[in-house]
Amino acid sequence: MTSFESTDVLVIGSGFGGAIAAYHLAAGGARVVVLERGPWLEGEDFDHDFKLGSSYTRIFDFVVGDGMSVLGGNCVGGGSVVYFAAMPRAPRFVFERKGGIGRRMWPKALSRDALEPWYDRVAEAMPVTGQDWDDVTYAGGLWAALCARSGHTANPVPVAVDNGKCTNCNWMMAGCRFDAKRSLLTNYLPAALAHGAQIRPLHEVQHISRTDDGGYRVHYNVIDDEDYRVHTGGGTIDAKIVVLAAGAGATPVILQRSEPSLGKMPHAVGRYFSGNGERLNTAVIDEDRVREVLGLERDGGLAYAANQIGRGPVVANWDRLDGSLPEHSRFSLEQLYFPPGLGTILAQAPDATGPTWFGVEKKEMLKRWQSWLTIFIMSEDDNEGVFGPPPATGNAMRISQQMLGRGNLRYHPTANTLRGWTEADDLVRDIIERDGVGRVRPWTNDVVGAYTVHPLASCRIGDDPATSALDDRHELRGHPGIFVTDGSAVPGALTVNPAMTIAALAERAMPGIVRAARERGVPVEYGAPSPDGATSARRAAAPLVAGLVQGRRAG
């Protein structure tokens, strides 16, 4: 069955970029429809297992490309449902990066100072809080002790977690059963619904075309609840404003597929993809040396053996987030729990004499999984990723009924990116292997290439039309009324977890989108408080709003 309808604003995706847009525009009086490719799960729907068909496989999208694989959210709430809720702000030097193009990547209008009030708005809405050492898990405490012993600092990571509700179950990636993780299901999305926004799960957008009145028509398929390869219907929705927030692995694919009907896309659509410079190392910890060298132990006479206890990243080493260092030598090292699955498959055995990620030595390593410590590297890559021709439908060719697909992303690391990874690997090894506390090796790239859980930059903002798909107000060049507010708009790697920056950029984009909607006849106002009614951060950002709602730049 095919349906036809219209609305003021059509939002594609319900992650950070989509949820924030839906809330502000609905609260301002616009009719808003949100189309989300994945299912709608909440609280008690999230399973504590990894069976096929459980929440874990239903709410993830794992796309294998050529040299890079992308793991992202596929559900109402998007990446916020499956992320570990780490919410640091990007370092100041990030906004001055030049990258492989040899000139400033970010728009001149954007700096850390310029984004600070919008960071504050997000922190008020989620809310984001600092942690103290009493909140740190066993794995985080071990990483902190290792950093201190090797002469490095360790920092509790700011998080969007209600520690009073958290049970330290460490199932955050499968969705939070206890609503302790402040995903978008607990703030922006319910607030958008309260203001009349409609959220439609299992609606996969295929392409966008123009209408005779200068608006846009969004074409979608309805996806089967159990087998995402099956389409049960479809339709179109006309809108005066379209906000793309399908994620950096899907937004460019939708735009590429839309080119025959919309007209030529900016050169940067589907180019300059960044994996946030991400890489993982897994160490096997020597329990006796933890006790002897670090003096650590926990209940039951154990020294550590706590890889699975707690929650995601709680402690990071930020010593290399130093703007005086050369580009591609700056990175963060974050303790991370990665649940069974890719974490066990891709980890390499430190003492292997044959194959490193399978075989006898790997089997022995798996027996000691409770004594693992995984370190997450976020560095500066060279925006090497390029999306090839789009698949017939969706963002990838689905291989299984849920989760797994084969995509058209090509990513071949440059010497700059490889050098950054090597420097980070060396520092991880120095910290962990000192005094024989553990043995460490990076995850293999032989199976699925490099990998990222934070895809960025495939439709990025910027001042140069040749290297940016969007202007500094997130409008798609040459296609007025289409905006992009997800991670694909971020110009490049951030060296920290990107959720806070994606959300702050989306908040900053809202005044300009409201202005564009008003110019197209939508009766909408800007100025909604935080989803819970707080207004202090809104007042602080008020002086910036006037400049953002002035006439949009051409380009």
Side-chain angles (χ1 to χ4, degrees), residues 226-244:
E226 292 187 3
D227 190 338
Y228 298 163
R229 297 169 298 185
V230 176
H231 300 160
T232 62
T236 64
I237 301 178
D238 291 355
K240 297 176 181 178
I241 294 288
V242 174
V243 179
L244 272 153

Side-chain angles (χ1 to χ4, degrees), residues 419-440:
R419 185 179 71 251
W421 285 347
T422 298
E423 290 183 19
D425 288 345
D426 289 346
L427 182 54
V428 173
R429 187 179 307 109
D430 178 66
I431 292 172
I432 291 177
E433 295 192 349
R434 186 177 297 222
D435 300 315
V437 173
R439 299 292 307 281
V440 62

Side-chain angles (χ1 to χ4, degrees), residues 89-93 95-96 110-117 119:
R89 305 183 184 202
R92 188 172 299 275
F93 65 77
F95 301 92
E96 306 299 325
L110 266 167
S111 64
R112 170 62 186 267
D113 289 339
L115 201 56
E116 200 72 18
Y119 277 133

Side-chain angles (χ1 to χ4, degrees), residues 241-313:
I241 294 288
V242 174
V243 179
L244 272 153
T251 287
V253 179
I254 293 171
L255 290 176
Q256 286 176 326
R257 195 183 291 116
S258 301
E259 189 166 39
S261 54
L262 278 183
K264 187 173 178 58
M265 286 293 124
H267 173 76
V269 168
R271 297 178 182 272
Y272 307 111
F273 173 93
S274 167
N276 202 33
E278 293 177 358
R279 187 168 171 83
L280 285 128
N281 278 245
T282 293
V284 181
I285 300 300
D286 185 318
E287 297 285 337
D288 291 335
R289 296 298 288 168
V290 167
R291 183 181 291 105
E292 295 165 3
V293 175
L294 301 177
L296 299 179
E297 65 177 13
R298 62 184 184 89
D299 294 343
L302 296 171
Y304 170 52
N307 176 51
Q308 80 284 13
I309 301 174
R311 51 189 181 276

